[in-house]
Amino acid sequence: MTETMGRRERKKAATRKALADAALRLFLEHGYDNVGIKDVAEAADVSTTTLFKHFPSKEALVFDPDADVEAALVAAVRDRPAGTSAAAALREHILRRKFVEPGRATADFTRLVDGHQALRDYAHRMWMRHETALARAIAEDAGRPEDDPACAALAHFALETSALARGSADPREAVERAFDLLENGWDATLAAAPPAAPPAVPPSG
Amino acid sequence: MTETMGRRERKKAATRKALADAALRLFLEHGYDNVGIKDVAEAADVSTTTLFKHFPSKEALVFDPDADVEAALVAAVRDRPAGTSAAAALREHILRRKFVEPGRATADFTRLVDGHQALRDYAHRMWMRHETALARAIAEDAGRPEDDPACAALAHFALETSALARGSADPREAVERAFDLLENGWDATLAAAPPAAPPAVPPSG
DNA sequence: TACAAAAGTGCAACGAGTCAACTTTTCAAT
DNA sequence: ATTGAAAAGTTGACTCGTTGCACTTTTGTA
C-alpha cells in the first residue's frame, strides 16, 4: 500500500521534516545564533551526523528547495500575454511574487532571514541559481543563441532586483524603477537586433 | 624623526604586512584550504589571536582594503568627458579596470581568488560596498535626490556586471552587452525626467 | 532467507573564530 | 627620567559548525 514511495523514503522524508520543523521553531523562538546544531538535532531526536546527512549546512535548515520557483520564472517569460516584452513579464512576475503572494513567508520568517547575513546570502544564492535557466528562456524567446550575453544580462539583473529591494527604504519602488531601466534597455536591445520577424523586403533576393 | 606615524603604528603595519604576505605566499604555494590560520600565524611569527586582531577572517588575509577604488568609481562619473552619460562613463571605467589595467592582480592571484567560493564572495562583497557611494554620485550628477531608486539601480547593476563577467565564456563581451542594456535604459530614464536643463519653453508661463 | 544498500549512530577530530587574563611595548605628561 | 595609561601581543582554553570513520539497524530485493 505504498502510494508512491516506499517505507524507507517516507521515513527519510519524515526525519527531514522533523529537522526542518524543529530548526525553524527553535530559531524563531530563541534566535538563529542562540541555537546550535546540537539543539536542533536533539529536538528532532537524531544525531548531528544524521542532521548533516539531510542538510548540508545550518542555513539550509531554514529553506526548503522550492522546485517550482524556477519553472514559474521560465513560464512567466514563455507564457506571457502577447504584445508585452520579456522584461515587462519579469517585472510583473517578480512584483507579484514579492509583494502580492507572500508565499509561505510569514513576518517572523522574513524577519529571521534578513536579520542574519548568512541566511540572507544563502537565500540570495538559491534565488540566483535560476539565472541560467532564465537566461535560456529569454534567449529562446528572443530567437537568440542560448548563451547570448544580452539575455544573460537581463536575467541576471532581473533576479538581482531582489537584492536591490532589500536595503531600500521603499522596496517596491526600488524594484519598479530598476525594471524601468531594464525594460527600456531591453526594448532598445531588441530594436537594434530584432527577433525573427518576417522582413518587409526579402533578404539578398 | 617619525615621518608621519609613530613607532607603534609602524610596527603594527609591519606585522599586518607580514601576515598578509605570509598568507598570500602560503596560499599560492599550497592552496587555500591546505593552509590553516595557524600556519599563516606561525609563518608571520605571531599567535593566531594576534592574526585575528589584524584581519577579521581568513578570507580577509587575501585582500587589502583598497581605499581609492571607491574614489575612482565616483570620479569616473563626476569627471567624465562632456557629452557622455554616466552609464557610458561607468562602462569605460569598469572595462579599463578589469581588462586593461590588471592592477596588482597577477594570474596566480586571480586563479587563487576565483578558484574558491569563499574568496569570490568576499571579493564581490567588498566590491559591492561601493554601491551607495556610487549611487549618490550618479544621483548628484543627474540632479536627483541622493536616494533616487533609478540611480541606485544603475549603480547596483553597473557593479554587478563584474559578477556577470565571471562565469561567462567571454567576460569582456558579457560586460559590454550588459552595459548596452544599462546605457540604453539609462538614456530613456533621463529622457523621461531630464536633469535641470533650461527648458526651451518656460514652464507654465 | 540471505544479501546489499541505505539510514542512522557515536565518537573523535579539525579548523575558524572568540574570550579572558596577562605581559610587553610605546606614547605622552609630568 | 618616571610614571601611568593605552595599545599590541601572548597564551590557552573554549565554542561551534562540519567531517570522517567504524559500526549497527532497517529496508528493499534477489
Side-chain angles (χ1 to χ4, degrees):
Chain A
M1 285 306 157
T2 62
E3 289 284 326
T4 53
M5 21 164 71
R7 190 182 353 255
R8 186 124 94 195
E9 306 178 47
R10 247 181 301 127
K11 283 206 172 185
K12 180 168 185 175
T15 13
R16 187 191 164 85
K17 183 159 168 23
L19 281 165
D21 289 353
L24 194 54
R25 182 173 59 78
L26 290 175
F27 290 161
L28 288 176
E29 214 163 301
H30 306 108
Y32 182 68
D33 24 39
N34 295 324
V35 176
I37 286 291
K38 295 178 159 184
D39 304 323
V40 176
E42 226 169 277
D45 202 42
V46 296
S47 65
T48 75
T49 332
T50 300
L51 186 152
F52 279 108
K53 289 227 175 91
H54 286 269
F55 297 90
S57 68
K58 187 182 182 186
E59 299 98 51
L61 283 162
V62 175
F63 307 96
D64 21 346
D66 241 316
D68 21 278
V69 173
E70 183 162 306
L73 275 166
V74 170
V77 169
R78 195 164 294 167
D79 311 336
R80 68 179 185 274
T84 65
S85 78
L90 282 169
R91 166 192 247 137
E92 290 311 312
H93 179 69
I94 287 179
L95 280 174
R96 174 160 47 250
R97 184 191 145 82
K98 223 174 160 52
F99 300 108
V100 183
E101 298 162 354
R104 71 213 164 292
T106 86
D108 302 327
F109 181 82
T110 306
R111 208 172 328 114
L112 169 68
V113 170
D114 46 44
H116 292 269
Q117 181 86 349
L119 293 178
R120 266 181 281 146
D121 288 0
Y122 193 91
H124 187 243
R125 193 168 302 164
M126 286 197 76
W127 175 239
M128 294 305 290
R129 242 179 224 142
H130 308 128
E131 182 178 345
T132 58
L134 180 56
R136 251 201 293 273
I138 296 171
E140 185 178 349
D141 175 81
R144 298 190 172 208
E146 76 168 13
D147 62 340
D148 183 76
C151 300
L154 178 59
H156 184 86
F157 291 153
L159 293 178
E160 269 291 326
T161 55
S162 86
L164 204 43
R166 162 185 57 255
S168 165
D170 185 345
R172 180 159 202 154
E173 180 74 4
V175 173
E176 295 275 18
R177 297 292 75 78
F179 268 108
D180 287 351
L181 198 67
L182 296 180
E183 251 185 86
N184 286 323
W186 182 243
D187 287 349
T189 300
L190 289 185
V201 178
S204 70
Chain B
M1 286 309 156
T2 60
E3 290 284 325
T4 54
M5 21 163 71
R7 197 187 338 263
R8 186 124 94 194
E9 306 178 45
R10 248 182 300 128
K11 283 207 174 184
K12 180 167 182 174
T15 17
R16 187 192 164 85
K17 181 159 168 25
L19 282 164
D21 289 353
L24 195 54
R25 183 174 59 78
L26 290 175
F27 289 161
L28 289 175
E29 213 164 302
H30 306 108
Y32 182 68
D33 23 40
N34 297 325
V35 176
I37 285 292
K38 297 178 157 186
D39 304 323
V40 177
E42 226 169 278
D45 202 42
V46 295
S47 66
T48 75
T49 28
T50 299
L51 186 152
F52 280 111
K53 290 226 176 92
H54 287 270
F55 298 91
S57 67
K58 186 181 181 186
E59 300 97 51
L61 283 162
V62 175
F63 307 97
D64 20 348
D66 241 316
D68 20 278
V69 174
E70 184 162 304
L73 275 167
V74 170
V77 170
R78 196 165 294 166
D79 311 336
R80 68 179 185 273
T84 64
S85 79
L90 282 169
R91 165 191 249 139
E92 289 310 311
H93 179 68
I94 287 179
L95 279 175
R96 176 162 44 249
R97 184 193 144 82
K98 224 174 158 52
F99 300 108
V100 184
E101 299 163 354
R104 72 214 164 292
T106 87
D108 302 327
F109 181 83
T110 306
R111 208 171 328 113
L112 170 66
V113 170
D114 46 42
H116 290 269
Q117 182 85 349
L119 292 178
R120 266 181 282 147
D121 288 1
Y122 194 90
H124 187 244
R125 194 169 300 163
M126 286 198 73
W127 176 238
M128 293 305 290
R129 243 179 224 143
H130 307 128
E131 182 178 347
T132 59
L134 181 56
R136 252 201 293 273
I138 295 172
E140 186 178 349
D141 176 81
R144 299 188 172 211
E146 77 169 12
D147 63 338
D148 182 76
C151 299
L154 178 60
H156 183 86
F157 291 152
L159 293 179
E160 270 290 328
T161 55
S162 86
L164 205 43
R166 163 184 58 256
S168 165
D170 184 345
R172 180 159 202 153
E173 181 75 2
V175 173
E176 294 277 17
R177 297 292 77 77
F179 268 108
D180 287 351
L181 197 67
L182 296 180
E183 252 186 86
N184 285 324
W186 184 243
D187 287 349
T189 301
L190 289 185
V201 179
S204 71

